[in-house]
Amino acid sequence: MATTAQWIEGARPRTLPNAIAPVLVGTGAAVSLDAGVWWKALLALIVSLALIVGVNFANDYSDGIRGTDDDRVGPLRLVGSKAASAGAVKKAAIACFAVGAVAGLVLAATSAWWLVVVGLVCIAGAWYYTGGSKPYGYSGFGEIAVFVFFGLVAVLGTQFVQAGEIDWAGVLAAVAVGSFSSAVLVANNLRDIPTDTESGKLTLAVRLGDTRTRYLHLALLVVPFAMTVVLIARTPWALVGLLALPFAARANSPVRKGAHGFELIPALRDSGLAMLVWGASTGLALAFA
């Protein structure tokens, strides 16, 4: 039976910035339209956190039963390490999705009922990333899904449920956060190229190869700062987003220097930190626009 510490590690807390950053900046975008609603922001955060922990457990379960994680380099996987049973991890994933669904239903009931469809698509996307007979994460579409779900949907959904509309600043912020989120996954998949290739998991990194994946990581980290420059048109305070630049540079450093395996783990951590700093600072800037 897995310990509490192992369950926490299995939830992959280093991925939580992917859930927190979009809500911070999406709320800032809503406040910039004079429409911030604190309890809706809180519910959006619950949805986002529940989905990312749920997808982490779902990936742990699906990869574990396929044997993909048998020789894993990165953080602990509960099923692959046999610390927890596949059934227990599957139930944990379903429980997380249920929590997100309840919070999402409240937001839909108080905003727009068509958000229920969006929520169902998000849960399906989370499960079939590595689940089902033909997981799209095994075919190189993981980065696109992360960009859409934890970038566009999460940021613009947070803005919409509070403001009842989205605007160009919200779209730019969503593109920035989506790029950061994709960079985190790219760093993860770059690390796993050898084991994924062996197990037949054709991630985007496997398809692109080592060198081009490293260039992709850099490009994705550049995009948010390009969005920062454009957001100056909304408020000069958007420049505070540049506070994330040192974290982004540190995140790309091991990637740029040709690190492999465990040496790439700091790239995941710092890509997430850069996203969190950018989301928090840009969210505040938009709120005070």
Side-chain angles (χ1 to χ4, degrees):
M1 182 178 293
T3 65
T4 300
Q6 287 175 319
W7 276 106
I8 292 173
E9 187 177 355
R12 304 183 71 185
R14 285 179 180 169
T15 65
L16 295 186
N18 295 62
I20 298 170
V23 176
L24 291 176
V25 74
T27 297
V31 173
S32 73
L33 297 176
D34 299 319
V37 183
W38 71 268
W39 61 268
K40 287 189 175 183
L42 180 59
L43 284 175
L45 181 60
I46 291 172
V47 171
S48 193
L49 287 170
L51 284 178
I52 200 158
V53 175
V55 74
N56 288 340
F57 283 140
N59 292 348
D60 192 308
Y61 165 75
S62 296
D63 284 343
I65 61 175
R66 281 191 172 88
T68 309
D69 288 337
D70 288 351
D71 298 307
R72 185 169 176 80
V73 175
L76 172 77
R77 285 297 185 104
L78 294 164
V79 178
S81 68
K82 297 181 172 53
S85 69
V89 175
K90 183 179 182 180
K91 288 176 183 176
I94 293 172
C96 289
F97 292 146
V99 169
V102 170
L105 282 171
V106 175
L107 284 173
T110 56
S111 302
W113 277 109
W114 54 263
L115 290 173
V116 173
V117 177
V118 175
L120 291 174
V121 171
C122 288
I123 292 174
W127 182 260
Y128 288 107
Y129 172 57
T130 55
S133 59
K134 294 183 178 179
Y136 64 85
Y138 280 45
S139 301
F141 296 106
E143 284 78 3
I144 295 173
V146 165
F147 181 87
V148 171
F149 292 126
F150 289 103
L152 303 184
V153 174
V155 174
L156 297 179
T158 299
Q159 183 183 32
F160 179 81
V161 295
Q162 296 178 68
E165 61 178 307
I166 59 175
D167 70 343
W168 66 269
V171 172
L172 293 183
V175 169
V177 172
S179 297
F180 272 128
S181 288
S182 295
V184 174
L185 184 57
V186 166
N188 179 81
N189 290 343
L190 172 64
R191 180 199 66 206
D192 292 342
I193 285 178
T195 53
D196 285 344
T197 301
E198 240 179 82
S199 62
K201 188 175 181 179
L202 298 178
T203 63
L204 183 60
V206 171
R207 290 181 180 276
L208 291 178
D210 186 277
T211 300
R212 285 186 290 180
T213 300
R214 293 177 191 273
Y215 284 126
L216 176 60
H217 185 259
L218 175 60
L220 288 169
L221 290 178
V222 168
V223 169
F225 300 103
M227 299 300 101
T228 291
V229 173
V230 181
L231 283 169
I232 295 172
R234 168 60 65 87
T235 172
W237 286 107
L239 282 172
V240 298
L242 296 179
L243 289 172
L245 193 53
F247 296 95
R250 193 170 72 181
N252 186 247
S253 180
V255 176
R256 187 175 64 254
K257 293 176 179 177
H260 293 87
F262 280 108
E263 295 173 341
L264 282 167
I265 291 178
L268 278 76
R269 177 198 65 206
D270 293 331
S271 295
L273 283 174
M275 173 169 46
L276 190 57
V277 172
W278 192 92
S281 56
T282 302
L284 283 172
L286 291 174
F288 288 102

